[in-house]
Amino acid sequence: MRNKVWQSGVKLLTAAAALGLAASFCSTAQAEAPYKVEGNAVDQATFKGWKLYKRQRCETCHGPTAEGGAAFPNLLTGLKNMSEEDFKATVLNGRNNMPAFNGNKAVVDGIDGLYAYLKGRSDGAIPAGELKELP
Ligand code: HEC
């Protein structure tokens, strides 16, 4: 009997700890966007991501606003349903008609900024077009 009470106490504590963890995880996940933006000025990594998007031909297929076209997916909607890991795997390994970029050093090194830029575009936080770098 005594043992049973102790066991359910432990279960309750474990459940409470799990809930607490989940809550703190959710709030930090929400608070931390991978980019900083003020108007059309973004942090350095995101700025580099924007340059990569233009220079590494992402723009050629996915369009200057990243909204895609007939044969190319819209990355603004695409990134809403995609984890950062999925994004990186798709860009680095390629998929169907999407070329692999794992042999492209600039893209490999700048993948975080590329993700930050497109995530910001997808969130509606970063405007299309010319960007500046935050001081
Ligand atoms: C030659 C054209 C082409 C280029 C260049 C290209 N892509 Fe793609 N991309 C595609 C195609 C086609 C798909 C759809 C793949 C499929 O059908 O599975 C795609 C898919 C994607 C997806 C997945 C979208 C989703 O909703 O699942 C992401 C993310 C992506 N591309 C990002 C990029 C980035 C970043 C670059 C530049 C580093 C880039 N692409 C360059 C053609 C291209």
Side-chain angles (χ1 to χ4, degrees):
M1 178 62 197
R2 219 192 149 103
N3 196 25
K4 235 184 174 169
V5 169
W6 184 80
Q7 267 186 356
S8 61
V10 167
K11 268 188 200 149
L12 261 176
L13 272 177
T14 318
L19 266 176
L21 258 180
S24 66
F25 176 76
C26 287
S27 58
T28 48
Q30 229 173 25
E32 276 172 33
Y35 51 84
K36 285 197 178 66
V37 56
E38 287 169 25
N40 72 337
V42 294
D43 64 278
Q44 191 184 46
T46 305
F47 185 75
K48 283 190 182 152
W50 169 62
K51 294 261 170 179
L52 282 175
Y53 183 79
K54 296 196 302 178
R55 287 186 189 149
Q56 301 297 329
R57 303 183 303 121
C58 314
E59 187 176 78
T60 318
C61 290
H62 294 285
T65 64
E67 285 162 301
F72 304 109
N74 180 330
L75 298 182
L76 305 192
T77 51
L79 262 77
K80 292 196 195 305
N81 309 310
M82 196 176 221
S83 70
E84 185 170 350
E85 287 67 33
D86 288 347
F87 170 85
K88 290 181 179 175
T90 305
V91 174
L92 295 178
N93 305 329
R95 206 177 74 198
N96 300 315
N97 292 331
M98 163 79 188
F101 281 86
N102 51 14
N104 181 321
K105 188 171 175 353
V107 173
V108 171
D109 290 349
I111 191 87
D112 288 335
L114 201 44
Y115 176 73
Y117 168 65
L118 289 169
K119 186 68 181 160
R121 289 281 303 121
S122 172
D123 289 347
I126 297 179
E130 292 292 304
L131 295 180
K132 295 186 300 191
E133 199 178 322
L134 279 168

